[in-house]
Every structure is written in structure tokens, then in C-alpha cells.
Amino acid sequence: MNKKLLPIAATFFLAAAMLTLGSCENATRTYAKKLKAEKKLIEQYVERNNITIIYEEPAYDQWKENEYLELEEYCYFHLTSPGDTTKPALETNDRFNIRYRQYTLTVEADTLSYWNTNESAYPMEYNLAELYSYCEGLYWAVQKLKYSGAEGKLICPSRYGVSSYETIPYGYDIKLQIRRF
């Protein structure tokens, strides 16, 4: 082999070996380790954003800024706007639309889905049972939103979120619109 090519070949081989080992490490992480990392990411997000976790739901119009109610382990909700409280609250069989923006909880957050639209010709419409089968976290949040036009935020581990096949926690900004015919 040409002596000039030897350092280039060795460098290439070393780089390929490092890439292979790095990807193997990630592929061999156990589910338990991934869940632990997910919890840590949620904890870091809560700390970074000065969020206070509460365990008793405040009166509907008494939510404080950065106060999040624990719904389930590592699943937190915050009411940002109460909506139209002059109309009846959401009932079990009501049809409703939710708009949400889904984003990662990393320091440099990535938005994964932007607001879907309620104004489209055929918006996605749910009742509570249908929403539960789609996403438990959104199901719990919608029950806390209660009124049409209400808005809230949700921090949700993967097992309660829209993408439960990955161990990635997400944040959601949510808007509720109740449809009564």
C-alpha cells in the first residue's frame, strides 16, 4: 500500500469505528435508561422555566403564572386563559376541536407540529372518549380547560403524549373549541 495513503486510510477507519461505537451505544440503551433520561429532561425543563408544581387544583380563575398542576407522574398542566365561562362547560358527549402546538423540552426547543386549524372544512373533532384513545395527556388537559376558547399548556412524558412510541417528552400549547349543534 502506498505510504501516503496509509494515514488517510487509518483516519477513515478510526472515524468509522467511532461512529459505529457511538451509534451502538445509543441503540443499546435500555428502555429503563431512556425513561430515566426522559424524566431528567422534564425536571430540567421545569427548573429552567421556573415552574412550580402544585398538587391541588386552584379555583378556575386563580391560576398563577408558571404554576402547573400535576395530573400524573411527570405530566403537568397550566391554565393560561379560562375561555368563555358564560357558556356551559364541556360535557362528556360534547363534540370539540382542539388546536395544539407540540414542541420538545430541550434547551433549544424544536416545534414538531404547529397549530392545526379549526377553521378548515373538516377539522378533527372529538368527544372525551375518542380523545382518550388518541392521547391521554390531551384528554386530561381538555377536562381542565372546560370552556370553549380556553387555553393551556401541558408538559407530558411520552407514555401520555401523541408520540408514545418514542421516549421523548413534549410540551403542548392547547386551545379548546366546543361545538354545540
Side-chain angles (χ1 to χ4, degrees), residues 31 35 38-39 72-74 136 156-161 163-164 166:
Y31 184 65
L35 288 177
E38 179 182 54
K39 287 179 180 180
E72 287 289 324
E73 184 181 27
Y74 289 93
E136 288 180 70
C156 199
S158 59
R159 70 178 175 265
Y160 303 129
S163 298
S164 60
E166 300 174 6

Side-chain angles (χ1 to χ4, degrees), residues 158-174:
S158 59
R159 70 178 175 265
Y160 303 129
V162 173
S163 298
S164 60
Y165 60 90
E166 300 174 6
T167 51
I168 300 172
Y170 293 109
Y172 299 87
D173 294 336
I174 310 162

